[in-house]
PDB file of all heavy atoms in Angstrom:
ATOM      1  N   ILE Y 302      87.179 120.212  87.354  1.00  0.00           N
ATOM      2  CA  ILE Y 302      87.312 119.556  85.890  1.00  0.00           C
ATOM      3  C   ILE Y 302      88.727 119.904  85.480  1.00  0.00           C
ATOM      4  O   ILE Y 302      89.288 120.939  85.604  1.00  0.00           O
ATOM      5  CB  ILE Y 302      86.274 120.135  84.873  1.00  0.00           C
ATOM      6  CG1 ILE Y 302      84.857 119.929  85.343  1.00  0.00           C
ATOM      7  CG2 ILE Y 302      86.627 119.535  83.481  1.00  0.00           C
ATOM      8  CD1 ILE Y 302      83.853 120.569  84.431  1.00  0.00           C
ATOM      9  N   VAL Y 303      89.377 118.917  84.859  1.00  0.00           N
ATOM     10  CA  VAL Y 303      90.640 119.138  84.164  1.00  0.00           C
ATOM     11  C   VAL Y 303      90.531 118.632  82.705  1.00  0.00           C
ATOM     12  O   VAL Y 303      89.705 117.627  82.497  1.00  0.00           O
ATOM     13  CB  VAL Y 303      91.752 118.365  84.869  1.00  0.00           C
ATOM     14  CG1 VAL Y 303      91.657 116.893  84.788  1.00  0.00           C
ATOM     15  CG2 VAL Y 303      93.132 118.919  84.192  1.00  0.00           C
ATOM     16  N   THR Y 304      90.960 119.429  81.881  1.00  0.00           N
ATOM     17  CA  THR Y 304      90.835 118.991  80.350  1.00  0.00           C
ATOM     18  C   THR Y 304      92.286 119.068  79.798  1.00  0.00           C
ATOM     19  O   THR Y 304      93.194 119.845  80.188  1.00  0.00           O
ATOM     20  CB  THR Y 304      89.962 120.047  79.514  1.00  0.00           C
ATOM     21  OG1 THR Y 304      90.544 121.217  79.385  1.00  0.00           O
ATOM     22  CG2 THR Y 304      88.564 120.194  80.223  1.00  0.00           C
ATOM     23  N   ALA Y 305      92.261 118.270  78.739  1.00  0.00           N
ATOM     24  CA  ALA Y 305      93.540 118.227  77.783  1.00  0.00           C
ATOM     25  C   ALA Y 305      92.976 118.137  76.346  1.00  0.00           C
ATOM     26  O   ALA Y 305      91.828 117.932  76.089  1.00  0.00           O
ATOM     27  CB  ALA Y 305      94.327 117.090  78.174  1.00  0.00           C
ATOM     28  N   GLN Y 306      93.962 118.377  75.418  1.00  0.00           N
ATOM     29  CA  GLN Y 306      93.531 118.488  74.072  1.00  0.00           C
ATOM     30  C   GLN Y 306      92.861 117.085  73.590  1.00  0.00           C
ATOM     31  O   GLN Y 306      92.045 117.226  72.643  1.00  0.00           O
ATOM     32  CB  GLN Y 306      94.707 118.942  73.144  1.00  0.00           C
ATOM     33  CG  GLN Y 306      95.858 117.918  73.063  1.00  0.00           C
ATOM     34  CD  GLN Y 306      96.938 118.293  74.035  1.00  0.00           C
ATOM     35  OE1 GLN Y 306      96.675 118.540  75.202  1.00  0.00           O
ATOM     36  NE2 GLN Y 306      98.174 118.176  73.683  1.00  0.00           N
ATOM     37  N   THR Y 307      93.213 115.965  74.092  1.00  0.00           N
ATOM     38  CA  THR Y 307      92.615 114.660  73.780  1.00  0.00           C
ATOM     39  C   THR Y 307      92.641 113.817  75.001  1.00  0.00           C
ATOM     40  O   THR Y 307      93.354 114.071  75.925  1.00  0.00           O
ATOM     41  CB  THR Y 307      93.542 113.962  72.718  1.00  0.00           C
ATOM     42  OG1 THR Y 307      94.858 113.659  73.280  1.00  0.00           O
ATOM     43  CG2 THR Y 307      93.693 114.738  71.383  1.00  0.00           C
ATOM     44  N   TYR Y 308      91.853 112.754  74.963  1.00  0.00           N
ATOM     45  CA  TYR Y 308      91.808 111.780  76.100  1.00  0.00           C
ATOM     46  C   TYR Y 308      93.197 111.200  76.280  1.00  0.00           C
ATOM     47  O   TYR Y 308      93.662 110.839  77.379  1.00  0.00           O
ATOM     48  CB  TYR Y 308      90.777 110.758  75.992  1.00  0.00           C
ATOM     49  CG  TYR Y 308      89.459 111.234  76.361  1.00  0.00           C
ATOM     50  CD1 TYR Y 308      88.385 111.379  75.471  1.00  0.00           C
ATOM     51  CD2 TYR Y 308      89.088 111.580  77.701  1.00  0.00           C
ATOM     52  CE1 TYR Y 308      87.117 111.871  75.814  1.00  0.00           C
ATOM     53  CE2 TYR Y 308      87.978 112.001  78.034  1.00  0.00           C
ATOM     54  CZ  TYR Y 308      86.976 112.195  77.126  1.00  0.00           C
ATOM     55  OH  TYR Y 308      85.683 112.543  77.653  1.00  0.00           O
ATOM     56  N   ARG Y 309      93.876 110.881  75.169  1.00  0.00           N
ATOM     57  CA  ARG Y 309      95.235 110.300  75.280  1.00  0.00           C
ATOM     58  C   ARG Y 309      96.104 111.273  76.002  1.00  0.00           C
ATOM     59  O   ARG Y 309      96.892 110.742  76.856  1.00  0.00           O
ATOM     60  CB  ARG Y 309      95.764 110.040  73.791  1.00  0.00           C
ATOM     61  CG  ARG Y 309      97.211 109.527  73.714  1.00  0.00           C
ATOM     62  CD  ARG Y 309      97.539 109.189  72.298  1.00  0.00           C
ATOM     63  NE  ARG Y 309      98.942 109.037  72.179  1.00  0.00           N
ATOM     64  CZ  ARG Y 309      99.695 107.987  72.587  1.00  0.00           C
ATOM     65  NH1 ARG Y 309      99.199 107.039  73.234  1.00  0.00           N
ATOM     66  NH2 ARG Y 309     101.063 107.937  72.247  1.00  0.00           N
ATOM     67  N   MET Y 310      96.150 112.482  75.747  1.00  0.00           N
ATOM     68  CA  MET Y 310      97.023 113.403  76.515  1.00  0.00           C
ATOM     69  C   MET Y 310      96.690 113.627  77.859  1.00  0.00           C
ATOM     70  O   MET Y 310      97.480 113.833  78.715  1.00  0.00           O
ATOM     71  CB  MET Y 310      97.102 114.805  75.712  1.00  0.00           C
ATOM     72  CG  MET Y 310      97.822 114.751  74.333  1.00  0.00           C
ATOM     73  SD  MET Y 310      99.422 113.895  74.426  1.00  0.00           S
ATOM     74  CE  MET Y 310     100.404 114.830  75.654  1.00  0.00           C
ATOM     75  N   LEU Y 311      95.293 113.523  78.138  1.00  0.00           N
ATOM     76  CA  LEU Y 311      94.797 113.651  79.527  1.00  0.00           C
ATOM     77  C   LEU Y 311      95.387 112.462  80.211  1.00  0.00           C
ATOM     78  O   LEU Y 311      95.847 112.806  81.393  1.00  0.00           O
ATOM     79  CB  LEU Y 311      93.273 113.527  79.393  1.00  0.00           C
ATOM     80  CG  LEU Y 311      92.506 113.722  80.708  1.00  0.00           C
ATOM     81  CD1 LEU Y 311      92.634 115.143  81.179  1.00  0.00           C
ATOM     82  CD2 LEU Y 311      91.044 113.324  80.499  1.00  0.00           C
ATOM     83  N   LYS Y 312      95.411 111.307  79.757  1.00  0.00           N
ATOM     84  CA  LYS Y 312      95.889 110.116  80.471  1.00  0.00           C
ATOM     85  C   LYS Y 312      97.469 110.101  80.674  1.00  0.00           C
ATOM     86  O   LYS Y 312      97.952 109.855  81.678  1.00  0.00           O
ATOM     87  CB  LYS Y 312      95.489 108.857  79.801  1.00  0.00           C
ATOM     88  CG  LYS Y 312      94.063 108.380  80.118  1.00  0.00           C
ATOM     89  CD  LYS Y 312      93.782 107.057  79.609  1.00  0.00           C
ATOM     90  CE  LYS Y 312      93.524 107.069  78.091  1.00  0.00           C
ATOM     91  NZ  LYS Y 312      93.000 105.667  77.622  1.00  0.00           N
ATOM     92  N   LEU Y 313      98.021 110.546  79.591  1.00  0.00           N
ATOM     93  CA  LEU Y 313      99.549 110.433  79.505  1.00  0.00           C
ATOM     94  C   LEU Y 313     100.169 111.551  80.243  1.00  0.00           C
ATOM     95  O   LEU Y 313     101.432 111.452  80.547  1.00  0.00           O
ATOM     96  CB  LEU Y 313     100.047 110.439  78.002  1.00  0.00           C
ATOM     97  CG  LEU Y 313      99.662 109.100  77.286  1.00  0.00           C
ATOM     98  CD1 LEU Y 313     100.281 109.256  75.729  1.00  0.00           C
ATOM     99  CD2 LEU Y 313     100.354 107.859  77.901  1.00  0.00           C
ATOM    100  N   ASN Y 314      99.520 112.686  80.421  1.00  0.00           N
ATOM    101  CA  ASN Y 314     100.081 113.788  80.990  1.00  0.00           C
ATOM    102  C   ASN Y 314      99.544 114.317  82.315  1.00  0.00           C
ATOM    103  O   ASN Y 314     100.018 113.790  83.418  1.00  0.00           O
ATOM    104  CB  ASN Y 314     100.090 114.980  80.030  1.00  0.00           C
ATOM    105  CG  ASN Y 314     101.011 116.152  80.316  1.00  0.00           C
ATOM    106  OD1 ASN Y 314     101.909 115.934  81.148  1.00  0.00           O
ATOM    107  ND2 ASN Y 314     100.736 117.295  79.797  1.00  0.00           N
ATOM    108  N   ILE Y 315      98.463 115.004  82.305  1.00  0.00           N
ATOM    109  CA  ILE Y 315      98.129 115.692  83.548  1.00  0.00           C
ATOM    110  C   ILE Y 315      97.414 114.759  84.532  1.00  0.00           C
ATOM    111  O   ILE Y 315      97.753 114.875  85.743  1.00  0.00           O
ATOM    112  CB  ILE Y 315      97.113 116.932  83.232  1.00  0.00           C
ATOM    113  CG1 ILE Y 315      97.070 117.791  84.386  1.00  0.00           C
ATOM    114  CG2 ILE Y 315      95.817 116.389  82.607  1.00  0.00           C
ATOM    115  CD1 ILE Y 315      97.049 119.274  84.090  1.00  0.00           C
ATOM    116  N   LEU Y 316      96.604 113.801  84.063  1.00  0.00           N
ATOM    117  CA  LEU Y 316      96.026 112.859  85.190  1.00  0.00           C
ATOM    118  C   LEU Y 316      97.093 111.946  85.740  1.00  0.00           C
ATOM    119  O   LEU Y 316      97.135 111.769  86.982  1.00  0.00           O
ATOM    120  CB  LEU Y 316      94.934 112.020  84.545  1.00  0.00           C
ATOM    121  CG  LEU Y 316      93.582 112.683  84.297  1.00  0.00           C
ATOM    122  CD1 LEU Y 316      92.567 111.721  83.659  1.00  0.00           C
ATOM    123  CD2 LEU Y 316      93.039 113.293  85.606  1.00  0.00           C
ATOM    124  N   LYS Y 317      98.009 111.611  84.848  1.00  0.00           N
ATOM    125  CA  LYS Y 317      99.226 110.765  85.382  1.00  0.00           C
ATOM    126  C   LYS Y 317      99.961 111.453  86.454  1.00  0.00           C
ATOM    127  O   LYS Y 317     100.351 110.954  87.553  1.00  0.00           O
ATOM    128  CB  LYS Y 317     100.096 110.385  84.168  1.00  0.00           C
ATOM    129  CG  LYS Y 317     101.400 109.622  84.564  1.00  0.00           C
ATOM    130  CD  LYS Y 317     102.199 109.421  83.193  1.00  0.00           C
ATOM    131  CE  LYS Y 317     103.524 109.054  83.633  1.00  0.00           C
ATOM    132  NZ  LYS Y 317     104.480 108.989  82.536  1.00  0.00           N
ATOM    133  N   GLU Y 318     100.179 112.771  86.261  1.00  0.00           N
ATOM    134  CA  GLU Y 318     101.041 113.600  87.070  1.00  0.00           C
ATOM    135  C   GLU Y 318     100.218 113.860  88.443  1.00  0.00           C
ATOM    136  O   GLU Y 318     100.821 113.873  89.407  1.00  0.00           O
ATOM    137  CB  GLU Y 318     101.442 114.975  86.455  1.00  0.00           C
ATOM    138  CG  GLU Y 318     102.384 114.690  85.311  1.00  0.00           C
ATOM    139  CD  GLU Y 318     103.763 114.073  85.754  1.00  0.00           C
ATOM    140  OE1 GLU Y 318     104.174 114.446  86.801  1.00  0.00           O
ATOM    141  OE2 GLU Y 318     104.214 113.235  85.031  1.00  0.00           O
ATOM    142  N   VAL Y 319      98.853 114.180  88.328  1.00  0.00           N
ATOM    143  CA  VAL Y 319      98.043 114.352  89.467  1.00  0.00           C
ATOM    144  C   VAL Y 319      98.107 113.087  90.266  1.00  0.00           C
ATOM    145  O   VAL Y 319      98.347 113.152  91.558  1.00  0.00           O
ATOM    146  CB  VAL Y 319      96.683 114.780  89.094  1.00  0.00           C
ATOM    147  CG1 VAL Y 319      95.758 114.872  90.299  1.00  0.00           C
ATOM    148  CG2 VAL Y 319      96.633 116.094  88.435  1.00  0.00           C
TER     149      VAL Y 319
END
Side-chain angles (χ1 to χ4, degrees):
I302 299 172
V303 63
T304 72
Q306 63 269 42
T307 64
Y308 277 115
R309 177 174 164 71
M310 291 312 299
L311 185 69
K312 284 192 278 192
L313 292 177
N314 191 21
I315 198 146
L316 282 180
K317 176 183 162 189
E318 295 298 321
V319 170

